[in-house]
Amino acid sequence: MNSEHTNYSLSGSLEESPAQEEMANPLPRAVLRLNNHLLLDGEWKFGVDADDSGRRDAWYLGHDYEYLAQWPGSIETHMAQDKENAPLARWHDKVVAWYEREFTLPEVEEPLTRSMFQLTFGACGYETQVWLNGRLLRTIEGEEVHYGEYTSFSYELREENLHLVNRLTVRIADTMDAETTRGKQESHIYKRGGIWYQTYTGAVRSVWLEMVERNRLRSRLGVDCVVEDQLVRFNLTTRIHDPGHYTLRLRVFARRAAKTTAPLFASDFPLRLEAGQKQQRVVLEMTGARLWSPEAPHLYRLVADLIDAEGYAAQIETNFGLRKIESRGRHVYLNNQPTYLDGILYQPGTATYEEMQRHMHAMQKLGCNLVRVHIAGIDPRIYNLADELGLLLWVEVPSPHTSSAGSRKNHREELLRMLTLIESHPSVVIWSLYNEDWGCQDIATNPETRRYIIDTYHYMLIEHPQFLVVDNDGWQHISQEGRLKSDLLTAHLYTPDLSRWQELLDRLIRGEMIGTAAFPLVIGDAFFYRRQKPLIVSEWGGFGFADYGGPEAGEERNERIREFKRELRARPIAGDVYTQATNIEDERNGVIDPYTGELSVPPGVLNSRNSPGEPAAA
């Protein structure tokens, strides 16, 4: 069913189809719900609140908006289209914008006894408030103001507040505050230019209305697999309005099997659930299950039902894969096999979902088995695509730009939001907490900064063991009592000169922690590198960017990439990440056309796996 249907119903009353086709996913989400949705994208009324008086003047009760804007889209784009405010499109310090539209409430096929309408923003921010017919809404988590602009959030709509025709009003605010999780958007500290980009904020992903059950599973899932015991740990989130006895039923099918087919694995879990939202971990034995890897990205389909005492089932479904990732000695092990990481740095910037799809296919054509998504949030469907293609992903928390108690709080909250929504993907194998000490500039001198990073690293090890975690990528990793608080020892090395490249790599593998990267590789207590951690050159190349040097294009650049890769593989290094996939603003060093996805270098140029002369995996 789709947004053109005017009658809405719940998953329990949908007929199961014997077709082998997968459920379509038109929305920016990874876990699906079998129900109708009404997409609220399109034309909205729009206005800039230059003196931030809209709340005081109650714009949510009625306001004459002079301009129109297309949602999704950035505030910057909408300001540029607004002739009066076009000069403000490069705003400074703070921006506040309001959006408003009306929508007709869809007909429902049954009384709203088991169900309610839910409003979801795929991503919006950095600071978002929402009013329905003049009433301020709270998110399911109870927020009057939602912070963050990279992940989704939802509102349950009470029946008594809904009309036949409804007015939805959204206030979005952002600032240049360096304490917020900004990634590479400019701030009061890092100004636009070079590697710092224009802000891109506001209504950045779709918004939709759907009907959901009062008592249900939320569209989020965690999957943790230990290969040896053939057990899969699932973390699910229940949302309950009517306390009582429920049954959580998990069924696992072959990815493309019809739902009329008997499941490959299944189990029921009786639960006594109170009102509210909570996480519940359950374990399912999957004896003989096939594993996921880049060479064989095998996926299963999970159908999860929350069944009430009357037998009514609220359902979600998603694809998932089983894999194990480890940092052991000098290798990264995937499913107990040493795996060299041929990676590339990917900065999606303002790319559309369709453009990001083309980028992912292009990066695989380059021979990469790893994509490092650089301090940015992306459309959740891209994680699904990586699962299908067999591309490993290295994801990162968008960084604040200053180190403070406030920035650490924002960083922690952003990490938790991201984990909640992407912890089910077998493709996601590595997380960076920070990059090049952005947002933790005092890492070498401030014990509080180091303590926060160490505590977060330990939290990830315990709560999310399915990932490898990097404390601060590139340099200044933390050593405590000689133990590295990172699963990988990473270095960013930029030089266009081959002899200098050879020298840096040789010094790196000898364990020289000072003088190889821009800052010491390890800070804190003494750390003696004896190949006890995988060593990864997680940024190199950048050929064509003025600040990095090297050839801009053509066969000279192709050969330089090949030469540098040969030197990497001739040494006991676990992986590398070439900079970068596409051009973005002033960084003109991409090897993929950002619009068409065409390669400007030969296919396979970054694939060094199983190449002649490759060192043994000992």
Side-chain angles (χ1 to χ4, degrees):
M1 303 179 77
N2 59 45
S3 61
E4 296 180 358
H5 286 248
T6 57
N7 288 323
Y8 269 41
S9 64
L10 293 168
S11 59
S13 59
L14 292 174
E15 294 183 4
E16 291 186 342
S17 168
Q20 300 288 327
E21 294 299 320
E22 288 189 86
M23 181 180 174
N25 185 12
L27 302 174
R29 59 183 179 183
V31 179
L32 309 184
R33 188 180 301 280
L34 292 175
N35 61 358
N36 259 323
H37 71 270
L38 175 64
L39 196 62
L40 298 180
D41 291 355
E43 192 172 80
W44 288 58
K45 298 175 183 178
F46 167 73
V48 174
D49 188 359
D51 57 0
D52 196 9
S53 62
R55 285 183 295 192
R56 183 189 67 226
D57 296 339
W59 286 17
Y60 49 85
L61 295 179
H63 181 72
D64 184 16
Y65 296 93
E66 189 175 354
Y67 300 100
L68 298 174
Q70 288 292 316
W71 190 307
S74 71
I75 289 176
E76 292 78 8
T77 300
H78 297 154
M79 291 171 70
Q81 293 168 352
D82 165 359
K83 293 182 180 179
E84 179 180 332
N85 289 301
L88 302 176
R90 289 285 306 279
W91 56 270
H92 301 282
D93 191 43
K94 181 177 182 178
V95 66
V96 180
W98 291 70
Y99 295 81
E100 188 170 280
R101 66 157 292 167
E102 292 184 343
F103 65 90
T104 301
L105 193 68
E107 284 184 52
V108 295
E109 297 175 352
E110 55 194 62
L112 294 178
T113 53
R114 296 186 185 275
S115 60
M116 62 178 58
F117 283 102
Q118 178 174 282
L119 179 71
T120 299
F121 290 77
C124 187
Y126 186 77
E127 175 186 319
T128 307
Q129 285 183 287
V130 181
W131 289 262
L132 177 69
N133 300 321
R135 292 177 177 266
L136 180 64
L137 300 180
R138 291 176 179 267
T139 67
I140 294 177
E141 285 72 28
E143 307 163 306
E144 286 190 355
V145 181
H146 175 79
Y147 294 97
E149 61 184 24
Y150 305 104
T151 54
S152 66
F153 53 98
S154 298
Y155 302 88
E156 295 173 340
L157 307 183
R158 297 171 59 180
E159 185 177 1
E160 60 268 28
N161 294 338
L162 289 165
H163 304 154
L164 178 60
V165 178
N166 298 271
R167 187 179 75 257
L168 190 62
T169 309
V170 182
R171 176 190 180 272
I172 306 173
D174 203 352
T175 71
M176 292 284 180
D177 183 357
E179 287 191 329
T180 63
T181 49
R182 310 195 59 77
K184 289 180 74 171
Q185 298 183 59
E186 65 175 315
S187 70
H188 289 308
I189 290 180
Y190 298 125
K191 291 301 182 181
R192 161 74 178 84
I195 65 170
W196 303 104
Y197 309 144
Q198 181 181 346
T199 56
Y200 181 79
T201 190
V204 294
R205 281 190 212 142
S206 293
V207 56
W208 64 93
L209 182 73
E210 63 185 324
M211 183 175 284
V212 298
E213 293 84 357
R214 286 171 50 83
N215 308 299
R216 64 190 183 280
L217 297 169
R218 295 206 63 192
S219 296
R220 49 188 63 175
L221 175 73
V223 180
D224 178 19
C225 169
V226 178
V227 171
E228 290 80 4
D229 63 12
Q230 302 189 74
L231 299 175
V232 184
R233 290 87 173 157
F234 294 99
N235 289 323
L236 297 106
T237 302
T238 59
R239 172 62 173 166
I240 300 297
H241 286 268
D242 306 305
H245 293 281
Y246 292 84
T247 298
L248 175 60
R249 175 169 296 162
L250 301 187
R251 290 174 291 161
V252 175
F253 300 85
R255 180 186 172 194
R256 299 188 185 278
K259 292 177 187 174
T260 52
T261 305
L264 300 174
F265 310 97
S267 190
D268 285 2
F269 304 89
L271 297 171
R272 167 71 189 181
L273 295 174
E274 302 299 328
Q277 179 171 293
K278 73 181 296 289
Q279 284 195 323
Q280 178 65 52
R281 168 179 267 209
V282 293
V283 180
L284 185 64
E285 187 171 6
M286 292 181 59
T287 304
R290 293 173 60 184
L291 301 181
W292 181 97
S293 69
E295 297 74 25
H298 185 78
L299 295 172
Y300 291 95
R301 189 175 83 245
L302 173 72
V303 177
D305 296 285
L306 187 66
I307 306 170
D308 65 20
E310 297 177 4
Y312 182 86
Q315 186 178 105
I316 60 173
E317 71 169 67
T318 192
N319 294 327
F320 72 99
L322 308 180
R323 60 104 182 108
K324 177 183 178 184
I325 193 80
E326 281 185 292
S327 162
R328 194 189 329 151
R330 74 174 184 87
H331 293 288
V332 171
Y333 285 81
L334 181 65
N335 302 332
N336 292 325
Q337 297 297 318
T339 300
Y340 189 85
L341 302 178
D342 279 316
I344 190 166
L345 190 76
Y346 178 46
Q347 304 189 82
T350 60
T352 66
Y353 170 56
E354 291 73 22
E355 288 167 346
M356 284 190 282
Q357 287 178 297
R358 291 194 281 272
H359 299 164
M360 296 295 285
H361 285 280
M363 289 184 281
Q364 190 169 54
K365 287 179 184 176
L366 287 170
C368 298
N369 63 354
L370 172 78
V371 174
R372 182 175 161 219
V373 183
H374 193 33
I375 54 175
I378 57 174
D379 189 304
R381 290 171 291 187
I382 293 300
Y383 302 113
N384 285 352
L385 178 59
D387 293 343
E388 295 167 10
L389 294 178
L391 275 171
L392 302 169
L393 296 183
W394 180 336
V395 300
E396 302 175 318
V397 185
S399 58
H401 289 180
T402 191
S403 183
S404 66
S407 76
R408 290 189 285 275
K409 176 178 180 292
N410 291 334
H411 180 276
R412 171 83 172 186
E413 290 174 352
E414 197 70 71
L415 170 65
L416 296 179
R417 284 191 292 263
M418 293 178 71
L419 281 166
T420 295
L421 294 174
I422 62 174
E423 62 175 332
S424 63
H425 299 281
S427 58
V428 178
V429 293
I430 303 171
W431 282 76
S432 284
L433 302 180
Y434 287 93
N435 174 75
E436 293 185 355
D437 69 39
W438 301 339
C440 60
Q441 293 91 334
D442 55 359
I443 188 173
T445 59
N446 188 342
E448 292 183 8
T449 299
R450 290 199 298 277
R451 172 49 55 194
Y452 167 73
I453 295 173
I454 291 170
D455 288 347
T456 305
Y457 172 71
H458 289 162
Y459 165 81
M460 293 290 287
L461 291 186
I462 295 169
E463 296 295 331
H464 301 280
Q466 68 268 45
F467 305 123
L468 301 182
V469 180
V470 178
D471 57 348
N472 177 47
D473 185 52
W475 49 66
Q476 296 195 115
H477 298 280
I478 299 173
S479 170
Q480 186 182 48
E481 298 177 349
R483 298 183 182 186
L484 201 66
K485 297 304 174 177
S486 178
D487 292 324
L488 306 172
L489 178 60
T490 66
H492 295 177
L493 307 179
Y494 286 108
T495 175
D497 180 75
L498 182 61
S499 60
R500 173 64 173 162
W501 178 244
Q502 294 167 328
E503 175 197 349
L504 288 173
L505 294 180
D506 287 340
R507 294 175 62 189
L508 195 61
I509 63 172
R510 286 198 298 267
E512 295 185 26
M513 298 290 103
I514 298 176
T516 48
F519 290 90
L521 279 190
V522 179
I523 51 93
D525 295 333
F527 177 76
F528 302 98
Y529 177 65
R530 298 294 185 270
R531 303 184 187 181
Q532 70 270 42
K533 290 279 185 177
L535 177 60
I536 293 182
V537 180
S538 52
E539 286 187 27
W540 67 276
F543 302 140
F545 182 43
D547 290 353
Y548 298 159
E552 293 188 8
E555 184 54 36
E556 183 185 358
R557 179 172 66 171
N558 301 340
E559 185 54 33
R560 189 73 56 86
I561 292 172
R562 295 187 188 102
E563 290 174 339
F564 276 47
K565 288 287 283 190
R566 281 194 289 268
E567 296 298 331
L568 285 162
R569 295 314 312 273
R571 292 164 174 80
I573 291 173
D576 66 84
V577 178
Y578 181 78
T579 305
Q580 65 180 336
T582 63
N583 293 341
I584 179 168
E585 297 198 21
D586 293 346
E587 286 196 83
R588 316 299 294 177
N589 54 359
V591 293
I592 300 168
D593 186 285
Y595 305 108
T596 67
E598 294 297 317
L599 303 183
S600 60
V601 294
V605 71
L606 293 177
N607 185 355
S608 70
R609 302 179 303 283
N610 303 316
S611 59
E614 179 180 335

